[in-house]
Amino acid sequence: MPIELLDDGRFHLFTNSTSYVLEPTAYGAVRHLYWGARLNPGTLVQALTESIPHSIGTPDEANVAFHALTLECPFYGSTDYREPMFAVQLANGTTAMDLHYSGYRIIHGKVPLLGLPSLRAEPDDDTETLQINLDDRRSGLRITLQYSVLGNYDVMTRSVLWNNSGSEDIRLTRALSAVLDFDESNFRIMHLSGAWARERGQSWHDLSTPGRLVMESRRGTSSHQEQPALFVVRPDTTLHHGDAYVFHLVYSGSFLGFAQVDEYRRLRIGLGIHPTGFEWGLAPGDSFQSPEVVLRYSPHGLHGISQGLHRVYRERLIQPAWRDRVRPIAINTWEASYFHVDAKSVLELGRQAADLGIELVVIDDGWFARRDNDRSSLGDWVVNPAKFPHGLEPIMDGLKSWGLQVGLWIEPEMVSPDSELYRMHRDWCLYAPGREAPLGRHQLLLDLGQKPVQDWIIETVTDLVARYRLDYLKWDWNRPMAEGGSAGTSAGRQGEVGHRYVLGLYRILETLTRQFPDLLVEGCAGGGGRFDPGMLAFTPQIWPSDNTDAVDRLAIQGNTAWLYPPSSISAHVSAVPNHQTGREVPLTYRNRVAASGVLGYELDLTQLSQAEKELTRQHVQWYKSHRDLILAGEYVPLIVDDASDQAAWMFWNANEGRGIIYWFCRDNKPNQLSQRLVISDLPIHATYEITDQDSGEHFMAHGSELRYRGIPLLRFFGQYKSRVWTIAATSPHGRGLHTMGS
Ligand code: GLA
């Protein structure tokens, strides 16, 4: 079992490759002692005492210097002066607490988090949960630290529950999900930051000096600008080697992540709901549950991190019905028609799509009410009679009769001031009492903290799905939250509005996905503005960016895959010149970039030349016969570096010893040495047959040669070149994956 209590009161949490050691103390500090490569369970772990500054000496109950310690649960109002995990204000206005360790519990499996998505445990899983209770006797506040170890997945989770068991009100003014201290800072930090249409670029930081690095979103969503994840790696960690740690928050609202180096050069990492503007009232008997943080350590570099996260997200976060389900190849009307979508254009597109082997038609924005631009109609989810004079039913029936699945775009959390919904229910909007709500893309947010609003969204979406027999829904969200209050919430609870919005959203999605388990809901937020594990729990695929330029997508998709499996990353082939960048990239290259995730199309198929149609038909056919590998295989990054002029990855079926390798060139320069593509992770004691998908040429190579020397990339000429090879082991020794299981 993955959690053991050692004789001296320490807890050893371990998986195949990781140990995590902590010690609750009588004086209320929960000491963090170790996280890293696996230690031998059953020993006393003698070496695991933290380094205490000489000037302080070992603390005890009489002399508690929390700032000397490496901690798991630092709080404001103690002798720890670094960034706290949580803070409270008691009924008398004070913030001090005296926490005492009051016991623990080890539970088989996992405890679901009330109202929040989290990783699941299934009955046969090697999963255990440790709960550690800390009490402030004077106020009656109880803090329960929850640690789950998912042994089969080499992953841990942390979350916190605060409970007011006293008789007076308590105000929670900061409630992060996890804080952890390393007793050194010989690390680098990587996080994924960006903006609209250029989401998730790699940001690297050295930690050579004391100070604080902050990654955050204050936008009411996880955001285009930051991903709620922190990677902590050694300075010499590479793609496939060296210590790597990740912290990933399962949450879709504003968040704070920080890395703090203190005066002793120790590193503190923290992650959770953003404290700015946040407060939560705990009346006697009330509880507050933090979202979950997923933690993973790997000695196999960044790929070791992504490999484990992909597996656990596919198998224990994404809805079970969608875990292994083939994702249909979509044609989406947005870049084909924008707001001018109508019955004729949809049917023409559908007919062409069916002919090319495409499987799903998605009618994007513009199909409802008077929606001819982004200035009106959000909230009025009824068909636009001018564009679809006979309604959507005959269109959907027609598409279905050609063997196509059907889907609709909707942005149900929003309302346009120019809409019937707004005129009827102005009070359903999020706005501060007595003020105008700020517009974004000419629209307002609905106040999802209000139950009638949640119920209306559930009813509206239920009706659309049932009426049009939808197979798919694109769930969009096109403006961040900036309201700073809610007229539907009492004065004392305004600090709860942002989080209540997210809880409301989760309730809506939970209800709808339970009601329609076969409906594929694709998440979207102006592109990749809400691509996070919280949404992934309900939307098994997510649109990662409004930028469909194939060259830019190499980084966007490649970096998204540090955390998320390719089966969740939607990728569309669009027209040239590209609508976001003006770049003209060959169709084969665009096809291949999109075929690195969930393939789809987003262009006017009827405008393609015969040759382009033929190429598309062949590509769709090729993708169908290889998508089991792409969507369910192991993803192995080979070159994923924003600064490189190349990108490459492999999809690998470890059981069968076969895969696909993709290589892309972003730029071409004259007079260069010819390059080699190293296939880092294959078992080396085997021979492989490698087949070029363009020329059909094939050759044999030994695993050691592929791993240590690489495939020769012969001279190529021209812009935007790409290569795809299939690779197959010629003996069972070539099955598996070098880093498998860690
Ligand atoms: C957002 C989405 C796009 C498209 C438009 C429609 O920007 O990211 O894909 O659906 O909205 O308005």
Side-chain angles (χ1 to χ4, degrees), residues 64-311:
V64 180
F66 279 28
H67 65 280
L69 305 175
T70 48
L71 296 168
E72 288 278 316
C73 171
F75 52 96
Y76 183 71
S78 73
T79 54
D80 181 68
Y81 308 106
R82 293 162 285 183
E83 282 288 311
M85 188 174 89
F86 76 99
V88 296
Q89 191 174 38
L90 303 178
N92 65 4
T94 61
T95 54
M97 271 176 293
D98 298 305
L99 292 187
H100 291 270
Y101 175 44
S102 57
Y104 74 95
R105 220 153 66 103
I106 296 177
I107 301 160
H108 178 70
K110 262 187 111 236
V111 185
L113 308 190
L114 202 65
L116 290 163
S118 58
L119 299 188
R120 293 181 301 273
E122 293 191 1
D124 293 337
D125 285 358
D126 182 21
T127 296
E128 279 191 332
T129 298
L130 168 67
Q131 294 181 324
I132 290 179
N133 293 324
L134 302 164
D135 287 335
D136 179 47
R137 290 178 192 141
R138 189 173 290 258
S139 67
L141 181 68
R142 163 165 285 198
I143 294 111
T144 304
L145 305 178
Q146 296 214 107
Y147 299 82
S148 294
V149 185
L150 287 80
N152 310 72
Y153 293 96
D154 244 331
V155 154
M156 284 180 43
T157 62
R158 282 185 59 177
S159 68
V160 188
L161 182 74
W162 288 264
N163 177 258
N164 181 357
S165 63
S167 54
E168 291 185 313
D169 289 352
I170 298 175
R171 199 169 277 275
L172 203 50
T173 55
R174 177 177 174 111
L176 300 187
S177 296
V179 163
L180 181 151
D181 287 331
F182 293 90
D183 64 0
E184 48 152 330
S185 57
N186 183 29
F187 294 111
R188 295 177 77 203
I189 298 282
M190 199 259 275
H191 58 112
L192 300 172
S193 49
W196 174 81
R198 49 184 172 79
E199 292 87 347
R200 288 175 292 287
Q202 296 178 20
S203 293
W204 287 93
H205 302 266
D206 292 326
L207 297 175
S208 47
T209 48
R212 201 160 37 117
L213 194 65
V214 167
M215 303 92 208
E216 62 183 356
S217 161
R218 299 167 185 241
R219 296 166 190 257
T221 173
S222 46
S223 85
H224 298 273
Q225 285 71 16
E226 283 294 341
Q227 175 62 209
L230 280 160
F231 296 81
V232 180
V233 302
R234 295 290 177 192
D236 57 357
T237 293
T238 63
L239 209 57
H240 296 277
H241 303 283
D243 289 338
Y245 301 80
V246 74
F247 300 75
H248 201 191
L249 185 66
V250 186
Y251 191 59
S252 311
S254 298
F255 72 89
L256 170 71
F258 67 82
Q260 182 178 23
V261 178
D262 72 5
E263 71 268 41
Y264 302 108
R265 304 280 163 113
R266 296 174 300 191
L267 172 63
R268 170 168 290 184
I269 298 290
L271 192 56
I273 294 177
H274 206 299
T276 299
F278 169 86
E279 267 191 5
W280 201 270
L282 291 175
D286 282 358
S287 297
F288 181 80
Q289 171 66 61
S290 84
E292 178 165 279
V293 174
V294 177
L295 297 96
R296 175 165 164 85
Y297 159 82
S298 171
H300 298 296
L302 287 170
H303 172 224
I305 292 294
S306 61
Q307 192 183 32
L309 288 187
H310 290 188
R311 206 173 301 155

Side-chain angles (χ1 to χ4, degrees), residues 509-535:
L509 289 170
E510 161 79 35
T511 310
L512 288 169
T513 50
R514 207 172 345 98
Q515 212 162 294
F516 300 108
D518 296 324
L519 177 75
L520 175 59
V521 185
E522 174 160 343
C524 176
R530 203 163 60 179
F531 203 132
D532 57 61
M535 288 307 286

Side-chain angles (χ1 to χ4, degrees), residues 196 224 332 334-335 338-339 364-366 371 374 378 409-411 441 443 474 476-478 524-528 543 545-546 548 572 602:
W196 174 81
H224 298 273
N332 178 298
W334 182 239
E335 287 195 18
Y338 291 102
F339 292 105
D364 208 283
D365 200 350
R371 183 79 166 172
D374 61 11
L378 295 176
W409 175 95
I410 185 169
E411 199 181 351
R441 208 197 190 201
Q443 64 197 53
K474 178 169 166 189
D476 210 342
W477 196 87
N478 273 313
C524 176
W543 184 233
S545 180
D546 271 352
T548 56
H572 292 178
E602 188 158 334

Side-chain angles (χ1 to χ4, degrees), residues 561-573:
W562 290 125
L563 296 160
Y564 301 96
S567 59
S568 66
I569 304 173
S570 196
H572 292 178
V573 176

Side-chain angles (χ1 to χ4, degrees), residues 45-58:
V45 202
Q46 289 292 359
L48 297 179
T49 48
E50 76 244 270
S51 326
I52 304 287
H54 297 159
S55 59
I56 293 167
T58 310

